[in-house]
Amino acid sequence: MMSFTKVGIVGAGTMGSGIATNLAQQGVAVILVDTAQEGVDRGVAAVNKFFSRAAEKGKISDADVEKAMSLVEGTTDLAKCGECDLVIEAIFEEFSVKEELFKKLNDIMPDDAVIATNTSCLRVSDLQKTVKNPNNFLGLHYFNPAAINPIVEVVKGEETDDAVFARCLEFCKNTAKKPIACSDNFGFAINRFFVPYANEAVRMLDEGIASAKQLDRVAQECMEVAAGPMMVTNLVKSSVMYHAQTNLAPHGAFYSVAESLKDKGPKGEDYAIDDADEGNPENDAVVADRLRAAAFFPVLQALDENVATAGEIDMGAGLALRFGKAPCELMDSLGKEEVTRILTPIIDQYGHAMPSSIDKVGSLRG
């Protein structure tokens, strides 16, 4: 049984339409809202395209397509969200833009409705202050492509009611997702390490340590990722990675944005990935150490902060990001001494303290 009967999704872009697709596929009525009719039309068309392709491949019937699409209503009228018992915000990753939306929803939503943000890096507790009922506010961070990616970070803000949090965890499970229960901190559980890992790859490119091709190859070899950090940065878009890394800045010096990302990100420029890969075993080892350090350090910090469990972080790394060697499992296999060696350059260069969870390496996964 679904814990929400009608869900409003504000923002009909890639994420919003993907969430709408997932929910309609699971039999949940959706109101997809955008500011312009062309945005609404694009979003509804994206949902229809997903189901139509599934029908063409024989995965679902034409009747299934019709049934799913009957559950999706597109509109430019934000007031329609007042019909919903859950609204998910999926708009631009800028605090002031989200704040403006939530203030509008304050005049629209019933007092008992739940409001969620799909933010990937902003603190839920900060956004929570902009709504009239902060107890009914939390984070539901879906991963792209939201229609099929199984991971959702369910983020408990400082004022989120325990029952609301539990209700949303159950809702995610009921809509074919694998939720990660997260406490609130910039980057939550997954982007907390994934974005700095990609940022570190850009730093090495900037420093002339390795080519983009070599960086991607070494990442595939040492962490068995499906796609390397430079390719993923282009796929996700440098603008998104730039904003995500900028939002992680409160965690300290290591989280500063790589120089070329400061330039390319605001302009949305891709990185060139050609066939140049002049790596050698010695150089590859340097690249591997820095990529692993950039993932391990934030993960251990997140474990210190009780953001999520080691098992949940690894589940997210494997299912959302397709890491063949998830961070905690990999650290356990390497052992405390080797992980300490890998992390020490970051500790020394950026002036951070060694996370206390280093003492648990070898048994992070229990």
Side-chain angles (χ1 to χ4, degrees):
M1 182 177 179
M2 294 298 173
S3 55
F4 297 102
T5 56
K6 184 177 285 189
V7 178
I9 300 170
V10 183
T14 300
M15 286 304 302
S17 62
I19 297 169
T21 302
N22 161 244
L23 297 182
Q25 190 173 28
Q26 299 303 317
V28 180
V30 173
I31 296 178
L32 188 59
V33 185
D34 209 290
T35 53
Q37 188 61 47
E38 61 179 349
V40 173
D41 293 343
R42 251 194 324 267
V44 173
V47 177
N48 187 63
K49 184 177 181 180
F50 177 91
F51 290 122
S52 297
R53 282 186 172 177
E56 288 170 6
K57 295 176 181 178
K59 295 181 179 179
I60 60 175
S61 68
D62 290 340
D64 292 331
V65 176
E66 187 176 344
K67 181 180 178 181
M69 291 308 300
S70 72
L71 293 170
V72 180
E73 176 185 351
T75 182
T76 58
D77 184 6
L78 186 65
K80 293 284 287 183
C81 287
E83 301 174 12
C84 303
D85 45 7
L86 168 65
V87 167
I88 301 172
E89 165 271 308
I91 62 175
F92 187 65
E93 193 74 312
E94 185 74 47
F95 185 93
S96 61
V97 178
K98 295 180 188 291
E99 179 181 33
E100 183 180 356
L101 169 64
F102 293 137
K103 286 181 177 179
K104 290 178 181 177
L105 288 175
N106 284 339
D107 298 326
I108 294 170
M109 300 305 298
D111 288 343
D112 59 350
V114 174
I115 298 177
T117 173
N118 186 56
T119 184
S120 60
C121 284
L122 297 172
R123 284 184 79 245
V124 169
S125 301
D126 292 336
L127 290 168
Q128 200 166 47
K129 296 172 184 175
T130 68
V131 300
K132 64 178 179 180
N133 291 315
N135 292 344
N136 289 353
F137 186 93
L138 78 167
L140 288 177
H141 176 220
Y142 287 74
F143 282 79
N144 198 32
I148 59 174
N149 195 312
I151 296 297
V152 179
E153 290 177 315
V154 183
V155 186
K156 190 175 189 295
E158 291 170 359
E159 297 186 65
T160 305
D161 184 81
D162 289 343
V164 169
F165 187 63
R167 184 182 178 191
C168 289
L169 284 167
E170 190 64 23
F171 178 70
C172 289
K173 292 175 185 176
N174 289 339
T175 52
K177 296 298 186 183
K178 292 185 179 294
I180 297 176
C182 296
S183 63
D184 189 22
N185 215 329
F186 296 101
F188 313 134
I190 307 305
N191 278 347
R192 174 67 175 270
F193 76 85
F194 178 69
V195 176
Y197 147 86
N199 188 64
E200 188 70 10
V202 175
R203 278 185 184 143
M204 284 189 275
L205 184 71
D206 293 347
E207 295 166 16
I209 289 174
S211 68
K213 190 78 169 181
Q214 182 188 355
L215 288 161
D216 282 355
R217 174 181 58 78
V218 173
Q220 289 174 307
E221 291 172 355
C222 75
M223 304 185 86
E224 295 182 4
V225 293
M230 300 308 304
M231 180 181 291
V232 172
T233 296
N234 285 349
L235 289 171
V236 173
K237 300 304 180 189
S238 62
S239 57
V240 173
M241 297 298 275
Y242 168 75
H243 281 290
Q245 187 67 35
T246 300
N247 287 334
L248 292 173
H251 288 306
F254 168 69
Y255 295 86
S256 60
V257 181
E259 287 304 314
S260 67
L261 191 57
K262 291 179 184 177
D263 177 58
K264 289 182 178 294
K267 294 183 283 188
E269 293 179 354
D270 285 349
Y271 282 90
I273 303 176
D274 52 30
D275 294 327
D277 182 352
E278 300 175 356
N280 56 64
E282 183 177 354
N283 186 236
D284 282 358
V286 171
V287 173
D289 276 356
R290 285 185 59 173
L291 288 174
R292 290 184 297 184
F296 293 170
F297 179 64
V299 166
L300 291 174
Q301 283 190 320
L303 291 174
D304 283 359
E305 298 158 12
N306 295 312
V307 172
T309 68
E312 287 176 320
I313 290 171
D314 276 7
M315 178 179 73
L319 295 179
L321 305 177
R322 299 178 67 193
F323 272 61
K325 292 182 178 177
C328 296
E329 182 180 11
L330 181 53
M331 282 191 278
D332 279 345
S333 69
L334 293 171
K336 178 183 175 181
E337 183 177 343
E338 176 66 358
V339 173
T340 300
R341 180 194 69 77
I342 290 170
L343 291 182
T344 297
I346 281 180
I347 302 302
D348 291 345
Q349 180 177 355
Y350 295 100
H352 288 276
M354 181 68 77
S356 60
S357 290
I358 189 73
D359 292 332
K360 300 177 183 175
V361 170
S363 58
L364 289 170
R365 294 288 301 268

